Amino acid sequence: MHSQLSNVRVGVLGATGTVGQRFICLLSRHPYFVIHALGASARSAGKPYAAAVSWKQPEPIPQAAADLVIRPCEPEHFKDCAIVFSGLDADVAGDIEAAFRTADLAVFSNARSYRRDPHVPLVVPLVNPKHFDIIPQQRALHTPPLSKGFIVTNANCSTTAIVVPLAALEHAFGPLESVLVTTMQAVSGAGYPGLSALDVLDNVVPYIPGEEEKMEWETLKILGGLSDPDSDGLISFDMHSSAPLRVSAACNRVPVLDGHTASLSIRFARRPPPSPQQVRDALSAYTPAVQTACCPSAPPHAITVFEQPDRPQPRLDRNLHAGAGVCVGRVRQCGVLDVKLVVLAHNVNIGAATSSIMNAEMAIVRGFVQV
Amino acid sequence: MHSQLSNVRVGVLGATGTVGQRFICLLSRHPYFVIHALGASARSAGKPYAAAVSWKQPEPIPQAAADLVIRPCEPEHFKDCAIVFSGLDADVAGDIEAAFRTADLAVFSNARSYRRDPHVPLVVPLVNPKHFDIIPQQRALHTPPLSKGFIVTNANCSTTAIVVPLAALEHAFGPLESVLVTTMQAVSGAGYPGLSALDVLDNVVPYIPGEEEKMEWETLKILGGLSDPDSDGLISFDMHSSAPLRVSAACNRVPVLDGHTASLSIRFARRPPPSPQQVRDALSAYTPAVQTACCPSAPPHAITVFEQPDRPQPRLDRNLHAGAGVCVGRVRQCGVLDVKLVVLAHNVNIGAATSSIMNAEMAIVRGFVQV
Amino acid sequence: MHSQLSNVRVGVLGATGTVGQRFICLLSRHPYFVIHALGASARSAGKPYAAAVSWKQPEPIPQAAADLVIRPCEPEHFKDCAIVFSGLDADVAGDIEAAFRTADLAVFSNARSYRRDPHVPLVVPLVNPKHFDIIPQQRALHTPPLSKGFIVTNANCSTTAIVVPLAALEHAFGPLESVLVTTMQAVSGAGYPGLSALDVLDNVVPYIPGEEEKMEWETLKILGGLSDPDSDGLISFDMHSSAPLRVSAACNRVPVLDGHTASLSIRFARRPPPSPQQVRDALSAYTPAVQTACCPSAPPHAITVFEQPDRPQPRLDRNLHAGAGVCVGRVRQCGVLDVKLVVLAHNVNIGAATSSIMNAEMAIVRGFVQV
Amino acid sequence: MHSQLSNVRVGVLGATGTVGQRFICLLSRHPYFVIHALGASARSAGKPYAAAVSWKQPEPIPQAAADLVIRPCEPEHFKDCAIVFSGLDADVAGDIEAAFRTADLAVFSNARSYRRDPHVPLVVPLVNPKHFDIIPQQRALHTPPLSKGFIVTNANCSTTAIVVPLAALEHAFGPLESVLVTTMQAVSGAGYPGLSALDVLDNVVPYIPGEEEKMEWETLKILGGLSDPDSDGLISFDMHSSAPLRVSAACNRVPVLDGHTASLSIRFARRPPPSPQQVRDALSAYTPAVQTACCPSAPPHAITVFEQPDRPQPRLDRNLHAGAGVCVGRVRQCGVLDVKLVVLAHNVNIGAATSSIMNAEMAIVRGFVQV
């Protein structure tokens, strides 16, 4: 199916920001998405993109975007886009994305505004595109009801990194019982300007506001299922309630540019638990629906398992498969829970822009976006 | 008692290395230890210290050391030292330290060679100077028996950081049941030249050879007690066997110069467990014997508890109290175990040289060294 | 004279900023200056200092400041201060410092607002306290004329680093003809938050807005003299006009926390020029007036000359003499001009707060401040 | 011509080192060079490449190399290679490369061993492939004379960065008179392990052994021409003697992974000198022979001139055109010489492996290698 697609017009909101810039790099190389409209704040609107942006990517501004005139972030300027990607900051994303949905546009958002909305799917494309099934309900409950519009969010970048291997393990071995995670997160996760150099050079900051709560809560929504319809015919996210999962996160910022590293300890419900080798095998074998559906941004391997004792490392491995997959290493027994391992994911690719793009690809496959 | 001490002659083995240099800085400011002899490899022996060392400290070479002629690391050159500190590399420390003990010298070692020896105390001065009680047995079992000589080791720098708060918690609340720890360790912990800049700039290395095993094993030896005498009248380290403690460590290297940060989750044996506030209070109140004995290198507070949500941080807090104490912050509930917290300790001070010096101070107080 | 001084009350404007924090650290250890009043923006005024500041120094907030209630930056709140130090940002410093001067207060400023004022001395304490001689004229020309008030500024941090050795060379060998300087400047020079971590990790930024012009212009004002009185009896800064000096600067930001490094090439007017060894000797011998006047913040050596080929280095040498002096190394012949050398200075100490404090000490010695 | 080439077998000496790894990455994507043989030390010989190498590139080991069995660095094992690239360390390169030449092999070397040899061309491919003309003489003077073998070296990585714009300026405006350069060099320039992390984190090291001499000398050889034949019919490198050029370098190591930045001040022989705009135009217009010859590794622009005031920056610009060109920015007047500018080049690409590969491509075009 993808092979027949071409010239799917997309818009990017928050195009001048860190995530917006990455969207533009990725979309400029996409086989069928075409950058059609760029939106940014009133300060930038009306200017050519190249003149408005403080470009921070390690490649030149793609030609597909350089000369586009930035539009205000208002739906009427994006009417001819089949898909709108949002890299907006959280402080403005809520209202703007709502307005776009109301205008019957399909919005794929990186912002946190609607992640906790009971009708908005929180989708990590390598894990739970099944949650798109709530889109009809989201449309129906909207006033007025929508025919095409919706909002899909992707997860926080640190959540994304860990739920991929956790999903693979649940797929292979049944429910998990407990997950303890300590992250070492890259500065790009905080956007631009984000952290002061004075705070992070030769330093670790053992705190990221709101991050631990997000990881603990989002993991349950993503790994959980959809409930059966209730008496009103409504479905909901079950928050992994059939087999309660405890997640405890400790989040740290380290002097790394890109790539979140996480150290995990996991306890399985199943006794005895799988061995480290069984865990490695299950992670390597994990094949999510975006791969079988041949989404073009899906990585060839969702999870790459490293055998070397000192890998994955952010500088060496974050760009594997264009940062679209997740790296896992050091799978070994844990003396307190069952298994320990290290996860690495590129926070701006699979952790942000690549996830939205893959979600959009999958939404087309699933028929939720007409192109 | 300390007030009467003066001019206690000390020697430093491995004086040109990273730990040796820190010994010299600290000893040059010590109220009663006097640097009397410096030992290094044959390549350096015979040269003035200032000419032989590749000095890497952020202060000039202390006058007390600059002109001392380096001696070979042989006991006859250190006969007039009441105490010998060893900053030797592990590959040579074993034989040299044994020879010094055989020559009836008191050796305080940073090397790992004798940490697992059943008659050598592994002492973190803020935790278990009680273990000096095995010194008479160590002397008696030596062939020939010794009157003054012994070896005391201090712990691995990352172990040192975590056992101080763990000891405080056991002191206040009884045995711990489980400890999960993820470290973010400074590059100075690997010595000089240690890590290549290419390995650590913009990177995290999720592996330090042997480190996790050391943390897991050493913690048990240090927090455990001494057994009652067996039928031969011998005592031994009980490895915390009366209340088995499970420790699981994940060790990472980060681009930080000095100061190991660790994220801990802890489960107490006692149910219900203490609250985060009770934990904070107990940590703040912890007063180890080195403080009551007025050892001059003991910090005014063994554990400094931070209330700010983003502290401690290595760059800002590692030098608090000259790096002789331990910093703790972010004490909060853990959704999987009981309590989470962050620990920071200066790996070359309390994690290495300061520990040896405090151990020596305490050994004098306890009468194991005659001065 | 200094020995009789005690309890000289001082105020600090901009007390919560990067330079303000360093002022407080330094003043808390000063033999006779006593922190009496702290000023900051309206947002902070009324709060205890410890509650208002985002403290970023690697030592705890000094007791002398922690509980002081922050005052608005208005002269009436600083009436009982003999000296007011200003660490204000340039965007507000102009008006506030003018108001303080009008209120007959002695202001020592780090801001750039008055550096180009023809009646305000731009003083690097290790170089040109002679320029204080313009203070009577500054007072006389004020409307209304002042009896005690004035503004003295210190130089930009990068200028300060280079003018000290340049002054020493002119003192020994007569006028310089040309100076080419390339700087590698620390991030703390940009204040807090200053640079984004994303801009400086694994990077060099070859541009600092306005910095090159400042270095080129300020150097002439500082190294120049005071003119003879004109027909109106007025004196002025001669901008080194008697022997024109050409300065060309290239300024770069590097991932260093503190300490500006500069690579200089110098051409002397005198032919033949001095040899590298003569240059080294002259730099070592340089003894500015703040030393002979025994100002307590003056370093024991104004310029420390390193013989090792790879020094000075910011991490190892920036804190020498509490960062109050300047380090020079690698003095060697230049194939294009005459001599090349490397300069290092702590940009927040001698480059900012320490300079102001030393200027105030010297102004007392010279009788421009009554205490 | 290149279009007809295919399957040119090449070998790589020093294949496990930093430069060797980059050779392998680049050659694995080359349109006609095929990695045929890999050589490394006796310790690695006999092992599959993937098992022997400590791989440090931010991409996986190319399939073309992973399973090749490493050969000893002896000519008989490389007999079937049309070209041999050498990434050997200087301490062994001299003898090995000589042996390969004696075996009539074409060697393109990154080592410094033969850079000063009066018959070996020191070629920066964007500057002086004309110097290949000395190859016949090199062959003829060899004992025994060679028919195919020779050694071509490329320049030190920091030299390479600066000679490209200097050549462009001489091409446009005639001889230069003086060049003052201060470098800020990446740690990868020192190989692996190279610099200790302890030496470079939060630091600048203002010294790189031998580097300044290399830059000053190599620049003259590269920018100079070939003499007319002497009475014996021999030609030689004229070291720019027809218009003496003075070069003065100051070399610094900074905490950057890849990409050498240099700050240059230049004086032209021609008076008046060109304006900054004329300099920018000339740099942009520079089209070296490797471009007109359509060498596949030649960048589309030899020199990219930036207009933004804060560019080029190593992290953002080092990978432009796969690191095969040179970036220049901040072209402006110099108050001491004529013009100042900033140069950036990727030290492991155009500064090392890419240069050798382009040299080989050009040697084929020029007929010095038969394929």
Side-chain angles (χ1 to χ4, degrees), chain C residues 73 196 198 217:
Chain C
C73 288
S196 165
L198 286 169
W217 193 90

Side-chain angles (χ1 to χ4, degrees), chain B residues 41-198:
Chain B
S41 68
R43 196 179 55 251
S44 299
K47 297 181 190 164
Y49 183 70
V53 71
S54 175
W55 186 255
K56 298 289 176 184
Q57 304 301 306
E59 60 180 281
I61 302 179
Q63 278 309 314
D67 299 328
L68 285 183
V69 174
I70 293 179
R71 307 179 184 193
C73 288
E74 296 159 6
E76 59 265 35
H77 301 292
F78 291 78
K79 276 294 182 194
D80 45 1
C81 291
I83 285 165
V84 175
F85 295 108
S86 166
L88 290 167
D89 283 342
D91 56 344
V92 298
D95 290 347
I96 294 175
E97 294 176 359
F100 274 65
R101 176 172 60 181
T102 297
D104 232 6
L105 288 162
V107 178
F108 291 84
S109 170
N110 275 274
R112 65 168 184 270
S113 309
Y114 294 99
R115 287 186 191 148
R116 290 179 178 247
D117 185 295
H119 308 297
V120 170
L122 174 61
V123 179
V124 172
L126 302 170
V127 176
N128 63 326
K130 181 85 176 67
H131 286 191
F132 287 153
D133 290 343
I134 208 164
I135 289 175
Q137 179 170 307
Q138 183 188 148
R139 287 171 173 159
L141 292 177
H142 192 271
T143 308
L146 303 168
S147 59
K148 299 189 298 177
F150 61 79
I151 294 172
V152 164
T153 66
N154 50 6
N156 190 45
C157 48
S158 53
T159 308
T160 300
I162 68 164
V163 294
V164 178
L166 296 181
L169 293 178
E170 294 213 318
H171 178 75
F173 305 114
L176 304 177
E177 191 180 288
S178 300
V179 176
L180 256 163
V181 55
T182 296
T183 67
M184 292 162 281
Q185 300 184 220
V187 294
S188 61
Y192 183 84
L195 275 85
S196 165
L198 285 170

